Amino acid sequence: MANVVVVGAQWGDEGKGKIVDWLSERADVIARFQGGHNAGHTLVIGEEVYKLHALPSGVVRAGKLSVIGNGVVLDPWHLVGEIEALRGQGVTITPETLLIAENTPLILPIHGELDRAREAAVGVAKIGTTGRGIGPAYEDKVGRRAVRVADLADAETLERRVDRALAHHDALRRGLGLNPVDRAALIAQLRDVAPKILQYAAPVWKVLGEKRRAGRRILFEGAQGALLDIDFGTYPFVTSSNVIAGQAATGTGIGPGSVDFVLGIVKAYTTRVGEGPFPTELDDDDGQRLGERGHEFGTTTGRKRRCGWFDAVLVRQTCATSGVSGIALTKLDVLDGFERLKICVGYELDGERYDYLPTAADRQARCTPIYEELPGWSESTEGARSWADLPANAIKYVRRVEELIDCPVALLSTSPERDDTILVTDPFAD
């Protein structure tokens, strides 16, 4: 049976929640493979709205196994609160429906404190993080001083891990004018939350291998977008993990040969939250209109998203680095009513034309978009469920996007409702 990786192919907020929910109905296992609770998914199922941050999108579907992989950094207190909130909405979450990889690093309160203190200290040079400790937690992981889920099960091991982390953090805190960490209080907090987390702990790599051999369909869910990838994003204005599809294997412990289809989620225009370059950003009425029609506010932070025209150069680039098999084009209906539409087909920099975004940050900031104009449409595409329901110019727009990004459209989304989806290519087809 086919296994599918879902990745955002822009700067995040592409509508992954709806698409993953749509696909999860046909999957047996939904595995989250990177990021933290700084990423948010909004699912609309019937009259119920679910806002997820740490949990995989499949958790709201009965009969599915949801998995948090080792590529994630996990805030255990946030997770407990998120589980309780979903239970209040009638969602059943048990150790039979949710597993957490034993080697998943934890986000501690000290990580959030460090994150926020750093952002405040650098002022205008800030990265634009959510301040939730994601970056510092990943730093501790690669610095080999993280507290991991499995460490919660043994008191002596837990204390050694905390002491190693504090030897590093207390020195940093002094430089930032923060008080030393209260070691006893931190250990007490961890011991208190331990049983609430350990009940879900499992060797996820082993479970996923068994599921794959049994012919179960696995859906690998990423957070954020490929342009925030630590290696291939608009560095340093990126997240602290690999976001591209290759991370699905590393972040869950399943081999790369287990992936059969990579679905890139792409918005029909472009948005970004936080700092960093954005070649097609609009500071005019068109940008305001895109933001208002698309309800462009972050699920996690509530921050207003920056909006701009579709950037085919960047999406072609992310499709290449993630090995995207097909894209899910979302929010096409937001473009309804525009008389003219623009697509970025290249950049001008120092008198030269580029068909990719340069790596150096100063050059990225100076790239000027080269646009191609297309006619818009006055008819509504909202709720369309077949090509026949779409205006001719909307179809031309979609086809031109395919040509420019060198990748076919597999799914087309025309509203937040999960059934308002046009299936072109089935990612789960054998």
Side-chain angles (χ1 to χ4, degrees):
M1 305 296 283
N3 298 321
V4 178
V5 176
V6 175
V7 294
Q10 293 162 309
W11 276 294
D13 307 309
E14 302 96 347
K16 289 184 294 296
K18 170 194 166 172
I19 300 300
V20 170
D21 175 59
W22 191 87
L23 291 169
S24 67
E25 192 170 43
R26 306 177 58 227
D28 301 297
V29 182
I30 298 88
R32 172 86 181 273
F33 61 82
Q34 55 79 220
H37 64 300
N38 55 333
H41 295 319
T42 300
L43 306 182
V44 181
I45 302 176
E47 299 298 318
E48 199 72 46
V49 177
Y50 303 98
K51 292 188 180 293
L52 307 179
H53 300 273
L55 289 166
S57 296
V59 77
V60 300
R61 292 279 166 196
K64 311 295 180 180
L65 174 63
S66 291
V67 169
I68 295 175
N70 56 277
V72 172
V73 284
L74 182 67
D75 182 323
W77 299 277
H78 173 90
L79 180 69
V80 169
E82 192 169 321
I83 289 172
E84 290 175 353
L86 287 176
R87 284 175 175 160
Q89 291 183 271
V91 177
T92 300
I93 300 175
T94 69
E96 285 68 48
T97 63
L98 173 66
L99 297 181
I100 303 171
E102 296 170 317
N103 51 339
T104 300
L106 299 181
I107 301 173
L108 308 179
I110 58 176
H111 292 133
E113 292 169 7
L114 178 60
D115 205 357
R116 294 186 292 273
R118 281 174 169 169
E119 283 286 89
V122 296
V124 294
K126 64 182 180 178
I127 299 298
T129 77
T130 59
R132 298 183 179 225
I134 311 302
Y138 274 117
E139 290 176 39
D140 279 359
K141 174 182 177 177
V142 298
R144 293 166 292 183
R145 54 180 173 266
V147 177
R148 306 197 297 179
V149 169
D151 299 330
L152 296 174
D154 182 76
E156 289 187 10
T157 299
L158 179 61
E159 291 197 20
R160 286 198 302 270
R161 294 286 187 269
V162 168
D163 286 342
R164 181 174 175 84
L166 295 193
H168 174 78
H169 278 268
D170 278 340
L172 289 178
R173 292 169 71 91
R174 281 195 297 273
L176 290 165
L178 299 177
N179 293 327
V181 177
D182 185 334
R183 176 184 182 274
L186 177 57
I187 290 174
Q189 285 178 284
L190 286 166
R191 286 176 175 165
D192 178 66
V193 81
K196 301 172 186 176
I197 298 299
L198 286 171
Q199 62 180 311
Y200 303 107
V204 157
W205 64 271
K206 183 174 183 293
V207 173
L208 291 181
E210 292 168 351
K211 295 293 184 182
R212 178 174 177 259
R213 287 190 293 275
R216 301 292 185 264
R217 287 175 167 170
I218 306 173
L219 181 63
F220 298 92
E221 175 187 9
Q224 290 115 355
L227 291 171
L228 294 175
D229 185 273
I230 188 67
D231 289 307
F232 294 98
T234 48
Y235 190 93
F237 303 99
V238 293
T239 193
S240 301
S241 62
N242 285 114
V243 180
I244 60 175
Q247 178 64 17
T250 309
T252 60
I254 197 165
S258 303
V259 175
D260 302 294
F261 194 99
V262 178
L263 183 67
I265 314 300
V266 179
K267 200 176 281 185
Y269 49 102
T270 311
T271 62
R272 177 167 198 170
V273 170
E275 308 298 320
F278 185 171
T280 66
E281 183 172 11
L282 297 172
D283 293 319
D284 57 12
D285 290 343
D286 285 336
Q288 181 75 13
R289 184 176 177 184
L290 287 172
E292 290 175 354
R293 295 205 60 192
H295 306 291
E296 297 297 349
F297 295 91
T299 301
T300 299
T301 63
R303 289 185 291 183
K304 183 179 179 181
R305 297 177 186 135
R306 301 154 64 189
C307 298
W309 295 120
F310 185 83
D311 193 328
V313 181
L314 287 179
V315 174
R316 182 172 63 245
Q317 196 165 318
T318 57
C319 284
T321 55
S322 272
V324 172
S325 312
I327 68 165
L329 190 64
T330 67
K331 291 200 167 185
L332 183 67
D333 54 299
V334 174
L335 301 181
D336 293 352
F338 279 89
E339 186 175 342
R340 304 290 296 177
L341 300 169
K342 292 182 180 181
I343 296 178
C344 177
V345 296
Y347 304 123
E348 191 277 328
L349 175 62
D350 299 334
E352 294 185 34
R353 179 166 178 154
Y354 284 76
D355 62 356
Y356 68 97
L357 187 66
T359 300
D362 67 305
R363 304 189 74 195
Q364 290 178 349
R366 292 187 290 111
C367 281
T368 301
I370 299 170
Y371 286 118
E372 176 180 303
E373 284 201 11
L374 285 82
W377 54 89
S378 57
E379 307 95 321
S380 174
T381 63
E382 185 174 0
R385 298 184 182 182
S386 72
W387 287 108
D389 296 333
L390 296 176
N393 283 345
I395 295 174
K396 290 178 182 177
Y397 182 85
V398 173
R399 294 305 186 201
R400 187 56 180 148
V401 165
E402 290 181 311
E403 292 172 358
L404 290 169
I405 67 173
D406 294 328
C407 191
V409 169
L411 295 167
L412 189 63
S413 172
T414 57
S415 92
E417 296 296 327
R418 67 188 306 275
D419 292 329
D420 292 341
T421 305
I422 301 171
L423 177 64
V424 182
T425 302
D426 186 353
F428 277 123
D430 296 334

